Amino acid sequence: MHTSVDCKILAMVRSLSIVVLIGKNIIVVNSQSGYDSTCTCDSVSSSVCMKYTCSTTARGAACFPGSSQITLVDGTFKPLSYIQIGDKVLVNKNNTYEPVISFIHAKHKGLFDFLSIKIHSAVSNLSSTLYVSANHLIFDFDSGEAKFAGKFHVSDQVQLIENNQIVPGKIISVQLTKQEGYYAPLTPSGTIVINGVLASNYATVGNHGLAHKVMSIYRWWIHLIGGSKWNEEIPCMLQIMLTIEQIIRWCSGQIFTNSDIYDGKFQVSSLA
């Protein structure tokens, strides 16, 4: 009898402990600029949080950290922080290399929030870790469409470049972490291969094709005045374009009806 009562008491204490654990796993992560992320534990197993649901207020799209690896024409790799305007980089599966024509923005120093997405090839032992801001677009393998990085979950598949082919890259884990600097390279095609993963140049707006069309105006502007790697904030010309886009969206312009704006929410399996 006492054993049964003791077991019930222990079960109640354990349940209460889990509730307290969930309550205490509301974690605010503040970066110097870019994102403030609030993560709440919403799945616990054996007193360990298995999944966090996070939200962030995007002050700017951080995109990729400086440590991101870029493939050059000769097959070697170079950290994104060392990439210069004019460097030819791999942009798709067809072994196509294009020059970096500008950086939408870049900040060389400081720690910023990124998702650390661990990926494993479905056809080989190749693995990679992509560091990317939650509101940046990367390409989904199954649909072929670009999606916000923050909307990918464990077991989803991204487009991994292997032997000049797109192969399914299965997501093994998604972690919230901090990395040094942020960079948003811009290429003529609007795509770039980062750490072996096919990614868009764009963020915040969920329609890659539409973003690329709108950015053609900005590319024309770059052709006139030249690109830059020293814009910590989004350039004035691009801010004006984004403002016009928002006005058109507010006026229910049909061209923007399929373009979703990032809602600031994402899920991770652990916090660094």
Side-chain angles (χ1 to χ4, degrees), residues 84-109:
Q84 301 298 322
I85 292 174
D87 285 352
K88 289 189 174 182
V89 300
L90 184 64
V91 297
N92 61 32
K93 66 174 182 177
N94 299 318
N95 205 31
T96 301
Y97 293 82
E98 294 179 349
V100 172
I101 59 176
S102 188
F103 285 80
I104 297 173
H105 62 179
K107 189 174 179 67
H108 310 287
K109 294 184 179 181

Side-chain angles (χ1 to χ4, degrees), residues 21-35:
L21 178 63
I22 293 175
K24 287 186 176 180
N25 272 286
I26 299 176
I27 300 173
V28 178
V29 182
N30 294 314
S31 58
Q32 293 179 13
S33 67
Y35 293 97

Side-chain angles (χ1 to χ4, degrees), residues 211-231:
H212 189 58
K213 289 179 181 178
V214 172
M215 287 293 287
S216 64
I217 304 172
Y218 184 60
R219 285 182 175 81
W220 170 79
W221 178 259
I222 289 173
H223 180 72
L224 292 180
I225 68 170
S228 174
K229 192 182 178 180
W230 307 105
N231 299 315

Side-chain angles (χ1 to χ4, degrees), residues 4 28 31 57 61-62 72 74-75 79 90 116 122 136 143 158 164 168 198 213 216 227:
S4 176
V28 178
S31 58
T57 301
L72 303 180
D74 61 3
L90 184 64
S116 171
H136 201 89
S143 68
V158 298
N164 298 327
L198 185 60
K213 289 179 181 178
S216 64

Side-chain angles (χ1 to χ4, degrees), residues 27 39 48-54 114-116 154 173-177 266-272:
I27 300 173
C39 296
V48 176
C49 185
M50 305 301 293
K51 184 178 71 174
Y52 294 87
T53 296
C54 305
F114 291 95
L115 298 181
S116 171
V154 172
S173 66
V174 182
Q175 184 181 44
L176 183 62
T177 186
F266 58 95
Q267 291 183 345
V268 295
S269 48
S270 62
L271 304 175

Side-chain angles (χ1 to χ4, degrees), residues 9 30 36 65 91 99 104 107 138 142 151 153 157 226 230 234-235 250 265 270:
I9 292 173
N30 294 314
D36 292 329
V91 297
I104 297 173
K107 189 174 179 67
I138 57 178
D142 296 311
K151 299 307 178 184
H153 305 111
Q157 298 184 126
W230 307 105
I234 294 176
W250 183 76
K265 297 179 181 179
S270 62

Side-chain angles (χ1 to χ4, degrees), residues 95-149:
N95 205 31
T96 301
Y97 293 82
E98 294 179 349
V100 172
I101 59 176
S102 188
F103 285 80
I104 297 173
H105 62 179
K107 189 174 179 67
H108 310 287
K109 294 184 179 181
L111 292 174
F112 301 92
D113 293 354
F114 291 95
L115 298 181
S116 171
I117 304 177
K118 187 174 182 180
I119 301 159
H120 193 279
S121 170
V123 300
S124 72
N125 291 323
L126 179 68
S127 62
S128 179
T129 300
L130 176 68
Y131 297 97
V132 60
S133 57
N135 64 343
H136 201 89
L137 295 174
I138 57 178
F139 286 89
D140 177 59
F141 178 81
D142 296 311
S143 68
E145 300 295 328
K147 292 169 48 179
F148 295 122

